[in-house]
Amino acid sequence: ILSNIPVNLPKAFSDFILFLFYLPFLIPEKIFVVIGVILLVYSIAYLHSNKQEGLVTTGPYHLIRHPQYLAMILITLGATGWSIWILNNTFGIGFLNPTQTVFVWFIELFAYVLLAHIEDMDLSKKFGEDFETYKKQVPFFIPFLKISKSFKVF
């Protein structure tokens, strides 16, 4: 199969991606993707370099408990907006229509919230009171957003 791929296909693909990033539209989507990628790489690197110390509560984990999940949500939000633009402004070739694409993003959002909640329960068992104190001080996904104790997702 690989022998059938034209030699210039990887270059054509990279040129296409660069072309899309230089287009003067889809600016919010591009910002979401770039911020998401930066946050994802930084939080993974930070966690990896500090994990042996126990519960990591500094760096990006000082602002939110689940920066990697937030990063993935931002990346997929940008990609979803980009996909909708492509579906609406090109030949519309895709597996899903724009409404279905948005629906899939909301399913993904729900899945990441559920995973984060499961991770919180696991960390609570593993680190006990240290994690419970951290949980009271640091927001779930959105920096600087404190939700009252009466509001529970699960």
Side-chain angles (χ1 to χ4, degrees):
I1 292 175
L2 291 178
S3 63
N4 293 334
I5 295 176
V7 175
N8 292 332
L9 186 60
K11 181 171 179 1
F13 180 73
S14 65
D15 289 348
F16 176 71
I17 296 298
L18 287 173
F19 170 73
L20 287 178
F21 267 98
Y22 285 116
L23 291 176
F25 45 85
L26 295 170
I27 301 298
E29 290 84 351
K30 292 174 188 175
I31 290 171
F32 284 136
V33 169
V34 169
I35 290 172
V37 168
I38 291 169
L39 179 60
L40 182 63
V41 170
Y42 176 59
S43 61
I44 288 172
Y46 195 87
L47 181 63
H48 181 70
S49 65
N50 293 289
K51 201 170 190 174
Q52 57 272 35
E53 297 173 10
L55 181 63
V56 178
T57 59
T58 56
Y61 299 89
H62 177 73
L63 298 173
I64 54 175
R65 295 196 309 267
H66 303 284
Q68 294 174 28
Y69 295 144
L70 176 61
M72 290 304 299
I73 289 168
L74 291 174
I75 291 167
T76 57
L77 178 62
T80 299
W82 207 323
S83 297
I84 291 168
W85 184 89
I86 290 170
L87 288 169
N88 288 330
N89 295 290
T90 62
F91 295 111
I93 299 171
F95 294 111
L96 304 173
N97 66 39
T99 303
Q100 293 168 327
T101 303
V102 170
F103 182 71
V104 168
W105 183 80
F106 276 105
I107 291 171
E108 177 259 340
L109 175 64
F110 175 76
Y112 277 120
V113 171
L114 181 62
L115 283 171
H117 181 70
I118 291 168
E119 187 175 304
D120 274 359
M121 292 187 310
D122 183 56
L123 291 170
S124 182
K125 288 177 187 174
K126 187 174 182 179
F127 295 106
E129 192 58 40
D130 287 343
F131 180 75
E132 291 303 319
T133 302
Y134 170 68
K135 187 176 173 181
K136 289 175 187 169
Q137 296 171 347
V138 179
F140 190 66
F141 268 137
I142 304 171
F144 315 112
L145 178 67
K146 302 281 185 180
I147 297 177
S148 70
K149 284 185 170 186
S150 61
F151 179 80
K152 286 200 170 203
V153 177
F154 298 96

PDB file of all heavy atoms in Angstrom, residues 84-96:
ATOM      1  N   ILE A  84     -17.138  21.706  10.930  1.00  0.00           N
ATOM      2  CA  ILE A  84     -18.419  22.292  10.533  1.00  0.00           C
ATOM      3  C   ILE A  84     -18.212  23.288   9.394  1.00  0.00           C
ATOM      4  O   ILE A  84     -18.988  23.320   8.434  1.00  0.00           O
ATOM      5  CB  ILE A  84     -19.119  22.932  11.747  1.00  0.00           C
ATOM      6  CG1 ILE A  84     -19.563  21.824  12.701  1.00  0.00           C
ATOM      7  CG2 ILE A  84     -20.284  23.810  11.320  1.00  0.00           C
ATOM      8  CD1 ILE A  84     -20.010  22.325  14.045  1.00  0.00           C
ATOM      9  N   TRP A  85     -17.153  24.079   9.490  1.00  0.00           N
ATOM     10  CA  TRP A  85     -16.864  25.020   8.414  1.00  0.00           C
ATOM     11  C   TRP A  85     -16.621  24.273   7.103  1.00  0.00           C
ATOM     12  O   TRP A  85     -17.143  24.648   6.055  1.00  0.00           O
ATOM     13  CB  TRP A  85     -15.645  25.878   8.764  1.00  0.00           C
ATOM     14  CG  TRP A  85     -15.391  26.919   7.716  1.00  0.00           C
ATOM     15  CD1 TRP A  85     -15.900  28.182   7.666  1.00  0.00           C
ATOM     16  CD2 TRP A  85     -14.592  26.763   6.533  1.00  0.00           C
ATOM     17  NE1 TRP A  85     -15.473  28.820   6.534  1.00  0.00           N
ATOM     18  CE2 TRP A  85     -14.660  27.970   5.812  1.00  0.00           C
ATOM     19  CE3 TRP A  85     -13.836  25.730   6.010  1.00  0.00           C
ATOM     20  CZ2 TRP A  85     -14.002  28.169   4.619  1.00  0.00           C
ATOM     21  CZ3 TRP A  85     -13.165  25.924   4.815  1.00  0.00           C
ATOM     22  CH2 TRP A  85     -13.252  27.138   4.129  1.00  0.00           C
ATOM     23  N   ILE A  86     -15.833  23.212   7.174  1.00  0.00           N
ATOM     24  CA  ILE A  86     -15.542  22.424   5.968  1.00  0.00           C
ATOM     25  C   ILE A  86     -16.829  21.826   5.397  1.00  0.00           C
ATOM     26  O   ILE A  86     -17.070  21.877   4.189  1.00  0.00           O
ATOM     27  CB  ILE A  86     -14.496  21.333   6.272  1.00  0.00           C
ATOM     28  CG1 ILE A  86     -13.130  21.982   6.506  1.00  0.00           C
ATOM     29  CG2 ILE A  86     -14.420  20.309   5.154  1.00  0.00           C
ATOM     30  CD1 ILE A  86     -12.074  21.047   7.047  1.00  0.00           C
ATOM     31  N   LEU A  87     -17.681  21.292   6.267  1.00  0.00           N
ATOM     32  CA  LEU A  87     -18.939  20.700   5.793  1.00  0.00           C
ATOM     33  C   LEU A  87     -19.853  21.736   5.148  1.00  0.00           C
ATOM     34  O   LEU A  87     -20.544  21.446   4.166  1.00  0.00           O
ATOM     35  CB  LEU A  87     -19.669  20.010   6.948  1.00  0.00           C
ATOM     36  CG  LEU A  87     -19.050  18.715   7.457  1.00  0.00           C
ATOM     37  CD1 LEU A  87     -19.711  18.283   8.760  1.00  0.00           C
ATOM     38  CD2 LEU A  87     -19.156  17.611   6.411  1.00  0.00           C
ATOM     39  N   ASN A  88     -19.859  22.945   5.699  1.00  0.00           N
ATOM     40  CA  ASN A  88     -20.756  23.985   5.189  1.00  0.00           C
ATOM     41  C   ASN A  88     -20.198  24.748   3.994  1.00  0.00           C
ATOM     42  O   ASN A  88     -20.963  25.328   3.225  1.00  0.00           O
ATOM     43  CB  ASN A  88     -21.102  24.980   6.290  1.00  0.00           C
ATOM     44  CG  ASN A  88     -22.039  24.394   7.318  1.00  0.00           C
ATOM     45  OD1 ASN A  88     -22.854  23.529   7.012  1.00  0.00           O
ATOM     46  ND2 ASN A  88     -21.934  24.857   8.537  1.00  0.00           N
ATOM     47  N   ASN A  89     -18.877  24.796   3.834  1.00  0.00           N
ATOM     48  CA  ASN A  89     -18.286  25.665   2.822  1.00  0.00           C
ATOM     49  C   ASN A  89     -17.525  24.935   1.723  1.00  0.00           C
ATOM     50  O   ASN A  89     -16.846  25.560   0.923  1.00  0.00           O
ATOM     51  CB  ASN A  89     -17.345  26.679   3.497  1.00  0.00           C
ATOM     52  CG  ASN A  89     -18.117  27.605   4.391  1.00  0.00           C
ATOM     53  OD1 ASN A  89     -18.875  28.437   3.936  1.00  0.00           O
ATOM     54  ND2 ASN A  89     -17.952  27.431   5.686  1.00  0.00           N
ATOM     55  N   THR A  90     -17.599  23.643   1.727  1.00  0.00           N
ATOM     56  CA  THR A  90     -16.994  22.870   0.644  1.00  0.00           C
ATOM     57  C   THR A  90     -18.085  21.982   0.070  1.00  0.00           C
ATOM     58  O   THR A  90     -19.265  22.270   0.191  1.00  0.00           O
ATOM     59  CB  THR A  90     -15.800  22.027   1.156  1.00  0.00           C
ATOM     60  OG1 THR A  90     -16.262  21.093   2.119  1.00  0.00           O
ATOM     61  CG2 THR A  90     -14.725  22.908   1.766  1.00  0.00           C
ATOM     62  N   PHE A  91     -17.705  20.887  -0.468  1.00  0.00           N
ATOM     63  CA  PHE A  91     -18.692  19.976  -1.035  1.00  0.00           C
ATOM     64  C   PHE A  91     -19.478  19.235   0.035  1.00  0.00           C
ATOM     65  O   PHE A  91     -20.370  18.472  -0.272  1.00  0.00           O
ATOM     66  CB  PHE A  91     -18.008  18.970  -1.973  1.00  0.00           C
ATOM     67  CG  PHE A  91     -17.399  19.619  -3.165  1.00  0.00           C
ATOM     68  CD1 PHE A  91     -16.019  19.669  -3.301  1.00  0.00           C
ATOM     69  CD2 PHE A  91     -18.192  20.197  -4.133  1.00  0.00           C
ATOM     70  CE1 PHE A  91     -15.454  20.281  -4.407  1.00  0.00           C
ATOM     71  CE2 PHE A  91     -17.628  20.819  -5.234  1.00  0.00           C
ATOM     72  CZ  PHE A  91     -16.252  20.860  -5.371  1.00  0.00           C
ATOM     73  N   GLY A  92     -19.129  19.452   1.295  1.00  0.00           N
ATOM     74  CA  GLY A  92     -19.856  18.818   2.383  1.00  0.00           C
ATOM     75  C   GLY A  92     -19.614  17.337   2.511  1.00  0.00           C
ATOM     76  O   GLY A  92     -20.438  16.607   3.035  1.00  0.00           O
ATOM     77  N   ILE A  93     -18.466  16.907   2.028  1.00  0.00           N
ATOM     78  CA  ILE A  93     -18.167  15.484   2.075  1.00  0.00           C
ATOM     79  C   ILE A  93     -17.707  15.132   3.489  1.00  0.00           C
ATOM     80  O   ILE A  93     -16.739  15.679   3.999  1.00  0.00           O
ATOM     81  CB  ILE A  93     -17.075  15.108   1.056  1.00  0.00           C
ATOM     82  CG1 ILE A  93     -17.573  15.437  -0.354  1.00  0.00           C
ATOM     83  CG2 ILE A  93     -16.693  13.649   1.186  1.00  0.00           C
ATOM     84  CD1 ILE A  93     -16.517  15.317  -1.422  1.00  0.00           C
ATOM     85  N   GLY A  94     -18.437  14.252   4.112  1.00  0.00           N
ATOM     86  CA  GLY A  94     -18.094  13.809   5.457  1.00  0.00           C
ATOM     87  C   GLY A  94     -19.032  12.710   5.886  1.00  0.00           C
ATOM     88  O   GLY A  94     -20.054  12.446   5.244  1.00  0.00           O
ATOM     89  N   PHE A  95     -18.677  12.086   6.980  1.00  0.00           N
ATOM     90  CA  PHE A  95     -19.517  11.008   7.492  1.00  0.00           C
ATOM     91  C   PHE A  95     -20.740  11.550   8.219  1.00  0.00           C
ATOM     92  O   PHE A  95     -21.767  10.904   8.279  1.00  0.00           O
ATOM     93  CB  PHE A  95     -18.722  10.117   8.445  1.00  0.00           C
ATOM     94  CG  PHE A  95     -17.616   9.373   7.762  1.00  0.00           C
ATOM     95  CD1 PHE A  95     -16.297   9.696   8.017  1.00  0.00           C
ATOM     96  CD2 PHE A  95     -17.892   8.363   6.857  1.00  0.00           C
ATOM     97  CE1 PHE A  95     -15.269   9.013   7.390  1.00  0.00           C
ATOM     98  CE2 PHE A  95     -16.880   7.678   6.219  1.00  0.00           C
ATOM     99  CZ  PHE A  95     -15.555   8.007   6.488  1.00  0.00           C
ATOM    100  N   LEU A  96     -20.607  12.737   8.794  1.00  0.00           N
ATOM    101  CA  LEU A  96     -21.674  13.318   9.599  1.00  0.00           C
ATOM    102  C   LEU A  96     -22.071  14.671   9.035  1.00  0.00           C
ATOM    103  O   LEU A  96     -21.263  15.353   8.404  1.00  0.00           O
ATOM    104  CB  LEU A  96     -21.199  13.495  11.041  1.00  0.00           C
ATOM    105  CG  LEU A  96     -20.673  12.252  11.764  1.00  0.00           C
ATOM    106  CD1 LEU A  96     -20.087  12.634  13.112  1.00  0.00           C
ATOM    107  CD2 LEU A  96     -21.765  11.223  11.933  1.00  0.00           C
TER     108      LEU A  96
END
